[in-house]
Every structure is written in structure tokens, then in C-alpha cells.
Amino acid sequence: MLAVRRAKRMAGAAAAARRGSHTLIPPPSPPPPRNSIATIPLVGGEGGGGSRRSLFSISSADHSNIYKQVRTTETPLSMEDLIQFGKDANQATLLASAQWLQKDLPIRMGHRVQELQSLPVTMFKTQPVIDLCNLYEESFVRVTEHEVPKTREVEERFSAMLTDIKEKHRMVQANIADGFKQMVRNGVPQRFMEHQEIQEKLTKFYTGRIGIRLLIDQHLMLRYDLFSRQGKGDAPREGGGAGGK
């Protein structure tokens, strides 16, 4: 009877996976099939050390908000739309861009959090990937809790925050690389690190990350162009213009 119950639980988990179901903070799940890369043990310990911040240390309200945003489809990006929007930008255009980003970026960041959490446990439990997930959660909260940029002064502070977020996310590739190194130290076989499941999930994550950086750059360059035409070339650097990396 025990074997039958276990088989039913495993079948239910497999069916959920085929449907693509995923929760940001999943409850304890049945053991995965034996051929899954998630079954590879973490020889050196689950995370390889203490986290700088607990993975789920943000408030339950923030987690609910992240989950809500993940259920929203990301707006497709079009280079033509971005170019048209940036033509002859004025202060009203800049404010509209900032207000739209405050609504759009949390959706994209929420999806990046979900994609990281959907990685096989052998990779998601590595400290560098945990830190990276924390970073996206923190950026999500910063954007959503910022004052709505309805004035020039608030937009300037909002842009300064975007510049800081962009800089802090600059080493994302290094985090992923360090995650693979941690897997090696934990004794995970090379063939599992090259598994198609990991490669597909990371490709989706990287593609989404590029979209976030593209939108932030678009807004910061709008500031640069606007202030340059007004003869105030230094102003964007205070709020995150061309001086950002």
C-alpha cells in the first residue's frame, strides 16, 4: 500500500509539471522521479554557507504581490515602438515613461524570480543563485514602493534608483557561473549541469533580463536626450542618465 500511495503522489507531481504549474514559494512536494536532475544530492550541504539574507525575508504582502505579477503576461517589446516613443521626447514623455516602467518592471522582475526558483534544486539551492533571487526580489520591492513619478523631482529620484538597480544587476552572469562552480563543489556530475532543462530555463531567464535592461536604458537615454537638447547635459547623471554603466 505504501508503494501505491507513493506512486500516486509521484504521478500527481509529474502531471503538475506537464501543466507547467509553479508557485513562487512551493509547499513540500513528493520526491521527483529518479531520472530527474532534482534528485542529485547536495554533497557539500544545501547552500554552501549562510545567506546574506533569508530567501523569503521580504514580507508576505510582497510575496503575494510578486505572485500576482507573475500571473500577468509580460508586454512584448518592439524596437519600432521604443524608437517611436523616444522621438522628440519632452518632459511629459519622460514622466509617462517612468510611470509605465513602475508598472511594467515589477511584472518582468516577478517572472525572473519565478524562473530562478523553477531551476532544479541542485542549482537553485546554491548560494550565488539564492543571492541573485534575493536581488530581484529586492529590486521588485524598490520599484513598487517608490513614489509614483508624477513630477520632475520624483522622476529624477526614480531614474537614480533605476541606475542603481542596473548597476547592482551587472554581475548576474557571474552569479550564475558561481552557481555552477558551487554545484561542482557539491559533487553534482557534469552531465547534470549540462542538462537541457537547466539550459532552457537559463536561456529564458537571460532573455527576460535583457528586456529589463533594455527598458531601463531606453528611459535613461530619454533623460539624456531631453537634457542635452535643453543644454543641461549634467542633469541626467544626477538622476541616472548616460553616466550609468
Side-chain angles (χ1 to χ4, degrees):
M1 292 298 294
L2 179 60
V4 172
R5 288 197 297 270
R6 182 178 300 174
K8 289 181 177 180
R9 289 197 300 268
M10 293 172 62
R18 288 193 297 271
R19 291 193 302 268
S21 62
H22 179 77
T23 57
L24 283 172
I25 311 175
S29 57
R34 292 186 61 83
N35 63 346
S36 169
I37 59 177
T39 61
I40 302 300
L42 294 170
V43 177
E46 291 191 349
S51 175
R52 292 195 299 267
R53 184 172 70 87
S54 174
L55 179 59
F56 303 123
S57 64
I58 65 175
S59 71
S60 58
D62 289 327
H63 274 296
S64 297
N65 196 10
I66 291 176
Y67 181 71
K68 178 182 177 181
Q69 299 294 351
V70 168
R71 296 172 65 183
T72 303
T73 303
E74 297 177 72
T75 303
L77 292 178
S78 165
M79 289 302 300
E80 182 178 356
D81 290 340
L82 292 176
I83 293 173
Q84 289 296 327
F85 183 79
K87 282 185 176 180
D88 302 320
N90 53 34
Q91 188 64 38
T93 306
L94 194 61
L95 292 178
S97 172
Q99 292 168 25
W100 184 79
L101 283 180
Q102 192 175 31
K103 296 178 180 178
D104 185 76
L105 288 180
I107 297 173
R108 298 180 187 277
M109 291 176 177
H111 278 273
R112 303 298 80 77
V113 170
Q114 184 195 44
E115 288 158 5
L116 290 172
Q117 292 187 351
S118 70
L119 287 169
V121 66
T122 47
M123 185 167 195
F124 176 62
K125 283 285 190 176
T126 61
Q127 195 59 54
V129 178
I130 289 176
D131 291 342
L132 182 57
C133 191
N134 288 345
L135 180 61
Y136 273 93
E137 288 180 338
E138 291 166 355
S139 298
F140 177 96
V141 173
R142 291 180 69 185
V143 174
T144 56
E145 293 187 351
H146 196 281
E147 183 180 357
V148 178
K150 294 182 178 180
T151 67
R152 177 172 177 170
E153 292 74 18
V154 178
E155 185 279 325
E156 183 174 349
R157 294 196 295 272
F158 183 78
S159 293
M161 178 193 65
L162 292 182
T163 299
D164 185 61
I165 287 175
K166 179 184 173 183
E167 175 64 20
K168 288 182 176 178
H169 285 247
R170 184 169 56 89
M171 301 302 292
V172 165
Q173 292 96 328
N175 281 74
I176 297 298
D178 289 342
F180 279 112
K181 293 177 183 178
Q182 182 70 59
M183 292 171 72
V184 172
R185 291 193 293 269
N186 288 343
V188 178
Q190 181 70 27
R191 67 181 184 277
F192 290 101
M193 290 185 282
E194 297 173 353
H195 198 281
Q196 184 178 0
E197 179 183 354
I198 290 181
Q199 302 305 319
E200 289 178 351
K201 290 181 183 297
L202 288 180
T203 296
K204 185 177 181 180
F205 170 79
Y206 280 130
T207 301
R209 172 182 179 266
I210 291 172
I212 291 175
R213 294 182 68 85
L214 178 62
L215 289 174
I216 291 178
D217 280 337
Q218 162 80 359
H219 179 76
L220 298 181
M221 288 308 299
L222 282 178
R223 296 193 90 250
Y224 178 77
D225 291 342
L226 176 60
F227 281 96
S228 294
R229 284 189 279 109
Q230 293 177 349
K232 301 176 182 178
D234 291 336
R237 290 177 172 82
E238 296 174 7
K245 295 181 179 180

mmCIF file of all heavy atoms in Angstrom, residues 56-88:
data_model
loop_
_atom_site.group_PDB
_atom_site.id
_atom_site.type_symbol
_atom_site.label_atom_id
_atom_site.label_comp_id
_atom_site.label_asym_id
_atom_site.label_seq_id
_atom_site.Cartn_x
_atom_site.Cartn_y
_atom_site.Cartn_z
ATOM 1 N N PHE A 56 13.328 34.197 1.758
ATOM 2 C CA PHE A 56 11.954 34.660 1.834
ATOM 3 C C PHE A 56 11.769 35.654 2.970
ATOM 4 O O PHE A 56 10.815 35.613 3.714
ATOM 5 C CB PHE A 56 10.996 33.471 1.996
ATOM 6 C CG PHE A 56 11.123 32.459 0.899
ATOM 7 C CD1 PHE A 56 11.415 31.135 1.186
ATOM 8 C CD2 PHE A 56 10.971 32.824 -0.420
ATOM 9 C CE1 PHE A 56 11.538 30.208 0.169
ATOM 10 C CE2 PHE A 56 11.097 31.904 -1.446
ATOM 11 C CZ PHE A 56 11.375 30.593 -1.148
ATOM 12 N N SER A 57 12.744 36.550 3.126
ATOM 13 C CA SER A 57 12.678 37.500 4.224
ATOM 14 C C SER A 57 11.822 38.716 3.909
ATOM 15 O O SER A 57 11.555 39.513 4.785
ATOM 16 C CB SER A 57 14.091 37.960 4.621
ATOM 17 O OG SER A 57 14.689 38.669 3.563
ATOM 18 N N ILE A 58 11.422 38.918 2.648
ATOM 19 C CA ILE A 58 10.522 40.021 2.351
ATOM 20 C C ILE A 58 9.143 39.668 2.887
ATOM 21 O O ILE A 58 8.846 38.521 3.192
ATOM 22 C CB ILE A 58 10.466 40.328 0.841
ATOM 23 C CG1 ILE A 58 9.862 39.171 0.059
ATOM 24 C CG2 ILE A 58 11.832 40.692 0.317
ATOM 25 C CD1 ILE A 58 9.675 39.478 -1.412
ATOM 26 N N SER A 59 8.289 40.663 3.016
ATOM 27 C CA SER A 59 7.004 40.463 3.672
ATOM 28 C C SER A 59 6.098 39.544 2.863
ATOM 29 O O SER A 59 6.261 39.377 1.652
ATOM 30 C CB SER A 59 6.315 41.806 3.890
ATOM 31 O OG SER A 59 5.877 42.343 2.651
ATOM 32 N N SER A 60 5.111 38.967 3.562
ATOM 33 C CA SER A 60 4.143 38.100 2.884
ATOM 34 C C SER A 60 3.339 38.891 1.863
ATOM 35 O O SER A 60 2.940 38.357 0.816
ATOM 36 C CB SER A 60 3.216 37.454 3.916
ATOM 37 O OG SER A 60 2.540 38.442 4.674
ATOM 38 N N ALA A 61 3.101 40.180 2.159
ATOM 39 C CA ALA A 61 2.383 41.020 1.199
ATOM 40 C C ALA A 61 3.193 41.190 -0.080
ATOM 41 O O ALA A 61 2.638 41.176 -1.187
ATOM 42 C CB ALA A 61 2.081 42.380 1.826
ATOM 43 N N ASP A 62 4.528 41.341 0.068
ATOM 44 C CA ASP A 62 5.380 41.461 -1.113
ATOM 45 C C ASP A 62 5.364 40.176 -1.919
ATOM 46 O O ASP A 62 5.342 40.204 -3.160
ATOM 47 C CB ASP A 62 6.813 41.803 -0.701
ATOM 48 C CG ASP A 62 6.943 43.233 -0.186
ATOM 49 O OD1 ASP A 62 6.202 44.104 -0.688
ATOM 50 O OD2 ASP A 62 7.770 43.466 0.709
ATOM 51 N N HIS A 63 5.372 39.034 -1.230
ATOM 52 C CA HIS A 63 5.323 37.754 -1.933
ATOM 53 C C HIS A 63 4.012 37.597 -2.680
ATOM 54 O O HIS A 63 3.975 37.101 -3.812
ATOM 55 C CB HIS A 63 5.520 36.598 -0.960
ATOM 56 C CG HIS A 63 6.947 36.272 -0.714
ATOM 57 N ND1 HIS A 63 7.793 35.805 -1.699
ATOM 58 C CD2 HIS A 63 7.701 36.354 0.408
ATOM 59 C CE1 HIS A 63 9.003 35.610 -1.198
ATOM 60 N NE2 HIS A 63 8.972 35.942 0.070
ATOM 61 N N SER A 64 2.927 38.020 -2.060
ATOM 62 C CA SER A 64 1.635 37.952 -2.740
ATOM 63 C C SER A 64 1.637 38.838 -3.977
ATOM 64 O O SER A 64 1.089 38.474 -5.023
ATOM 65 C CB SER A 64 0.519 38.389 -1.780
ATOM 66 O OG SER A 64 0.424 37.514 -0.677
ATOM 67 N N ASN A 65 2.289 39.982 -3.860
ATOM 68 C CA ASN A 65 2.365 40.901 -4.995
ATOM 69 C C ASN A 65 3.204 40.310 -6.114
ATOM 70 O O ASN A 65 2.861 40.430 -7.300
ATOM 71 C CB ASN A 65 2.953 42.241 -4.540
ATOM 72 C CG ASN A 65 2.699 43.356 -5.543
ATOM 73 O OD1 ASN A 65 1.936 43.198 -6.494
ATOM 74 N ND2 ASN A 65 3.365 44.483 -5.345
ATOM 75 N N ILE A 66 4.333 39.671 -5.755
ATOM 76 C CA ILE A 66 5.166 39.015 -6.767
ATOM 77 C C ILE A 66 4.367 37.942 -7.495
ATOM 78 O O ILE A 66 4.377 37.852 -8.725
ATOM 79 C CB ILE A 66 6.432 38.409 -6.135
ATOM 80 C CG1 ILE A 66 7.370 39.518 -5.654
ATOM 81 C CG2 ILE A 66 7.162 37.519 -7.142
ATOM 82 C CD1 ILE A 66 8.601 39.016 -4.933
ATOM 83 N N TYR A 67 3.658 37.123 -6.722
ATOM 84 C CA TYR A 67 2.867 36.045 -7.326
ATOM 85 C C TYR A 67 1.801 36.623 -8.255
ATOM 86 O O TYR A 67 1.543 36.092 -9.340
ATOM 87 C CB TYR A 67 2.218 35.204 -6.236
ATOM 88 C CG TYR A 67 1.406 34.050 -6.768
ATOM 89 C CD1 TYR A 67 2.043 32.943 -7.343
ATOM 90 C CD2 TYR A 67 0.016 34.060 -6.720
ATOM 91 C CE1 TYR A 67 1.305 31.887 -7.845
ATOM 92 C CE2 TYR A 67 -0.716 33.009 -7.221
ATOM 93 C CZ TYR A 67 -0.075 31.925 -7.782
ATOM 94 O OH TYR A 67 -0.807 30.882 -8.281
ATOM 95 N N LYS A 68 1.191 37.737 -7.855
ATOM 96 C CA LYS A 68 0.184 38.393 -8.687
ATOM 97 C C LYS A 68 0.797 38.863 -9.997
ATOM 98 O O LYS A 68 0.197 38.708 -11.069
ATOM 99 C CB LYS A 68 -0.418 39.575 -7.924
ATOM 100 C CG LYS A 68 -1.451 40.365 -8.722
ATOM 101 C CD LYS A 68 -1.967 41.544 -7.919
ATOM 102 C CE LYS A 68 -2.952 42.381 -8.729
ATOM 103 N NZ LYS A 68 -3.447 43.545 -7.942
ATOM 104 N N GLN A 69 2.000 39.436 -9.917
ATOM 105 C CA GLN A 69 2.647 39.943 -11.127
ATOM 106 C C GLN A 69 3.053 38.804 -12.058
ATOM 107 O O GLN A 69 3.014 38.961 -13.291
ATOM 108 C CB GLN A 69 3.872 40.784 -10.754
ATOM 109 C CG GLN A 69 3.573 42.012 -9.913
ATOM 110 C CD GLN A 69 2.750 43.050 -10.660
ATOM 111 O OE1 GLN A 69 2.519 42.951 -11.854
ATOM 112 N NE2 GLN A 69 2.288 44.059 -9.938
ATOM 113 N N VAL A 70 3.433 37.670 -11.500
ATOM 114 C CA VAL A 70 3.832 36.525 -12.326
ATOM 115 C C VAL A 70 2.652 36.021 -13.153
ATOM 116 O O VAL A 70 2.834 35.495 -14.258
ATOM 117 C CB VAL A 70 4.408 35.403 -11.434
ATOM 118 C CG1 VAL A 70 4.546 34.102 -12.206
ATOM 119 C CG2 VAL A 70 5.767 35.815 -10.884
ATOM 120 N N ARG A 71 1.466 36.208 -12.649
ATOM 121 C CA ARG A 71 0.272 35.766 -13.370
ATOM 122 C C ARG A 71 -0.084 36.720 -14.513
ATOM 123 O O ARG A 71 -0.988 36.444 -15.298
ATOM 124 C CB ARG A 71 -0.905 35.642 -12.394
ATOM 125 C CG ARG A 71 -0.679 34.575 -11.328
ATOM 126 C CD ARG A 71 -1.765 34.599 -10.271
ATOM 127 N NE ARG A 71 -3.068 34.252 -10.805
ATOM 128 C CZ ARG A 71 -4.192 34.252 -10.081
ATOM 129 N NH1 ARG A 71 -4.142 34.595 -8.808
ATOM 130 N NH2 ARG A 71 -5.334 33.925 -10.630
ATOM 131 N N THR A 72 0.627 37.840 -14.596
ATOM 132 C CA THR A 72 0.415 38.817 -15.667
ATOM 133 C C THR A 72 1.428 38.585 -16.786
ATOM 134 O O THR A 72 2.611 38.410 -16.524
ATOM 135 C CB THR A 72 0.568 40.257 -15.133
ATOM 136 O OG1 THR A 72 -0.342 40.464 -14.045
ATOM 137 C CG2 THR A 72 0.289 41.269 -16.229
ATOM 138 N N THR A 73 0.973 38.574 -18.005
ATOM 139 C CA THR A 73 1.852 38.347 -19.151
ATOM 140 C C THR A 73 2.736 39.569 -19.391
ATOM 141 O O THR A 73 2.277 40.709 -19.303
ATOM 142 C CB THR A 73 1.030 38.068 -20.415
ATOM 143 O OG1 THR A 73 0.177 36.933 -20.174
ATOM 144 C CG2 THR A 73 1.936 37.769 -21.609
ATOM 145 N N GLU A 74 3.997 39.322 -19.662
ATOM 146 C CA GLU A 74 4.921 40.410 -19.965
ATOM 147 C C GLU A 74 4.555 41.058 -21.307
ATOM 148 O O GLU A 74 4.220 40.375 -22.265
ATOM 149 C CB GLU A 74 6.357 39.893 -20.030
ATOM 150 C CG GLU A 74 6.867 39.329 -18.717
ATOM 151 C CD GLU A 74 8.268 38.752 -18.831
ATOM 152 O OE1 GLU A 74 9.211 39.544 -18.955
ATOM 153 O OE2 GLU A 74 8.394 37.513 -18.813
ATOM 154 N N THR A 75 4.633 42.391 -21.350
ATOM 155 C CA THR A 75 4.340 43.116 -22.579
ATOM 156 C C THR A 75 5.436 42.857 -23.614
ATOM 157 O O THR A 75 6.609 43.055 -23.318
ATOM 158 C CB THR A 75 4.255 44.628 -22.314
ATOM 159 O OG1 THR A 75 3.270 44.877 -21.308
ATOM 160 C CG2 THR A 75 3.903 45.389 -23.576
ATOM 161 N N PRO A 76 5.081 42.408 -24.812
ATOM 162 C CA PRO A 76 6.108 42.173 -25.843
ATOM 163 C C PRO A 76 6.840 43.460 -26.182
ATOM 164 O O PRO A 76 6.241 44.544 -26.220
ATOM 165 C CB PRO A 76 5.290 41.670 -27.041
ATOM 166 C CG PRO A 76 4.007 41.164 -26.445
ATOM 167 C CD PRO A 76 3.730 42.039 -25.268
ATOM 168 N N LEU A 77 8.140 43.351 -26.410
ATOM 169 C CA LEU A 77 8.958 44.514 -26.753
ATOM 170 C C LEU A 77 9.092 44.634 -28.268
ATOM 171 O O LEU A 77 9.312 43.639 -28.964
ATOM 172 C CB LEU A 77 10.341 44.394 -26.124
ATOM 173 C CG LEU A 77 10.425 44.499 -24.604
ATOM 174 C CD1 LEU A 77 11.871 44.298 -24.147
ATOM 175 C CD2 LEU A 77 9.911 45.843 -24.129
ATOM 176 N N SER A 78 8.979 45.854 -28.748
ATOM 177 C CA SER A 78 9.160 46.129 -30.172
ATOM 178 C C SER A 78 10.141 47.287 -30.302
ATOM 179 O O SER A 78 9.930 48.359 -29.726
ATOM 180 C CB SER A 78 7.824 46.500 -30.824
ATOM 181 O OG SER A 78 8.015 47.083 -32.093
ATOM 182 N N MET A 79 11.217 47.071 -31.051
ATOM 183 C CA MET A 79 12.188 48.131 -31.248
ATOM 184 C C MET A 79 11.551 49.327 -31.939
ATOM 185 O O MET A 79 11.866 50.480 -31.640
ATOM 186 C CB MET A 79 13.368 47.610 -32.070
ATOM 187 C CG MET A 79 14.265 46.628 -31.334
ATOM 188 S SD MET A 79 14.955 47.339 -29.817
ATOM 189 C CE MET A 79 15.877 48.729 -30.465
ATOM 190 N N GLU A 80 10.623 49.071 -32.834
ATOM 191 C CA GLU A 80 9.950 50.168 -33.542
ATOM 192 C C GLU A 80 9.168 51.031 -32.548
ATOM 193 O O GLU A 80 9.195 52.272 -32.625
ATOM 194 C CB GLU A 80 9.010 49.608 -34.603
ATOM 195 C CG GLU A 80 8.308 50.695 -35.409
ATOM 196 C CD GLU A 80 7.407 50.120 -36.491
ATOM 197 O OE1 GLU A 80 7.396 48.886 -36.656
ATOM 198 O OE2 GLU A 80 6.710 50.912 -37.155
ATOM 199 N N ASP A 81 8.463 50.382 -31.620
ATOM 200 C CA ASP A 81 7.698 51.132 -30.626
ATOM 201 C C ASP A 81 8.624 51.961 -29.741
ATOM 202 O O ASP A 81 8.328 53.115 -29.409
ATOM 203 C CB ASP A 81 6.880 50.180 -29.762
ATOM 204 C CG ASP A 81 5.732 49.538 -30.539
ATOM 205 O OD1 ASP A 81 5.351 50.099 -31.591
ATOM 206 O OD2 ASP A 81 5.237 48.490 -30.099
ATOM 207 N N LEU A 82 9.760 51.374 -29.347
ATOM 208 C CA LEU A 82 10.701 52.093 -28.493
ATOM 209 C C LEU A 82 11.273 53.312 -29.214
ATOM 210 O O LEU A 82 11.427 54.385 -28.625
ATOM 211 C CB LEU A 82 11.832 51.160 -28.051
ATOM 212 C CG LEU A 82 11.451 50.018 -27.102
ATOM 213 C CD1 LEU A 82 12.658 49.120 -26.844
ATOM 214 C CD2 LEU A 82 10.900 50.555 -25.795
ATOM 215 N N ILE A 83 11.588 53.128 -30.492
ATOM 216 C CA ILE A 83 12.155 54.242 -31.266
ATOM 217 C C ILE A 83 11.128 55.353 -31.449
ATOM 218 O O ILE A 83 11.428 56.544 -31.284
ATOM 219 C CB ILE A 83 12.661 53.729 -32.633
ATOM 220 C CG1 ILE A 83 13.863 52.789 -32.431
ATOM 221 C CG2 ILE A 83 13.044 54.901 -33.532
ATOM 222 C CD1 ILE A 83 14.327 52.102 -33.698
ATOM 223 N N GLN A 84 9.896 54.971 -31.783
ATOM 224 C CA GLN A 84 8.850 55.963 -31.985
ATOM 225 C C GLN A 84 8.555 56.724 -30.693
ATOM 226 O O GLN A 84 8.338 57.943 -30.699
ATOM 227 C CB GLN A 84 7.571 55.284 -32.493
ATOM 228 C CG GLN A 84 7.658 54.787 -33.926
ATOM 229 C CD GLN A 84 7.843 55.924 -34.929
ATOM 230 O OE1 GLN A 84 7.342 57.034 -34.739
ATOM 231 N NE2 GLN A 84 8.587 55.657 -35.991
ATOM 232 N N PHE A 85 8.550 56.000 -29.585
ATOM 233 C CA PHE A 85 8.255 56.635 -28.303
ATOM 234 C C PHE A 85 9.333 57.646 -27.931
ATOM 235 O O PHE A 85 9.059 58.663 -27.301
ATOM 236 C CB PHE A 85 8.145 55.567 -27.208
ATOM 237 C CG PHE A 85 7.761 56.123 -25.862
ATOM 238 C CD1 PHE A 85 6.454 56.439 -25.578
ATOM 239 C CD2 PHE A 85 8.721 56.333 -24.884
ATOM 240 C CE1 PHE A 85 6.091 56.959 -24.340
ATOM 241 C CE2 PHE A 85 8.380 56.851 -23.638
ATOM 242 C CZ PHE A 85 7.049 57.162 -23.374
ATOM 243 N N GLY A 86 10.568 57.372 -28.345
ATOM 244 C CA GLY A 86 11.670 58.235 -27.952
ATOM 245 C C GLY A 86 11.881 59.446 -28.843
ATOM 246 O O GLY A 86 12.699 60.314 -28.522
ATOM 247 N N LYS A 87 11.145 59.530 -29.942
ATOM 248 C CA LYS A 87 11.330 60.654 -30.854
ATOM 249 C C LYS A 87 10.791 61.942 -30.236
ATOM 250 O O LYS A 87 9.675 61.976 -29.710
ATOM 251 C CB LYS A 87 10.624 60.379 -32.187
ATOM 252 C CG LYS A 87 11.393 59.435 -33.109
ATOM 253 C CD LYS A 87 10.701 59.320 -34.451
ATOM 254 C CE LYS A 87 11.513 58.450 -35.414
ATOM 255 N NZ LYS A 87 10.838 58.335 -36.731
ATOM 256 N N ASP A 88 11.604 63.002 -30.320
ATOM 257 C CA ASP A 88 11.181 64.321 -29.833
ATOM 258 C C ASP A 88 10.618 64.252 -28.416
ATOM 259 O O ASP A 88 9.553 64.795 -28.113
ATOM 260 C CB ASP A 88 10.135 64.935 -30.776
ATOM 261 C CG ASP A 88 10.669 65.077 -32.197
ATOM 262 O OD1 ASP A 88 11.849 65.454 -32.341
ATOM 263 O OD2 ASP A 88 9.903 64.804 -33.142
#
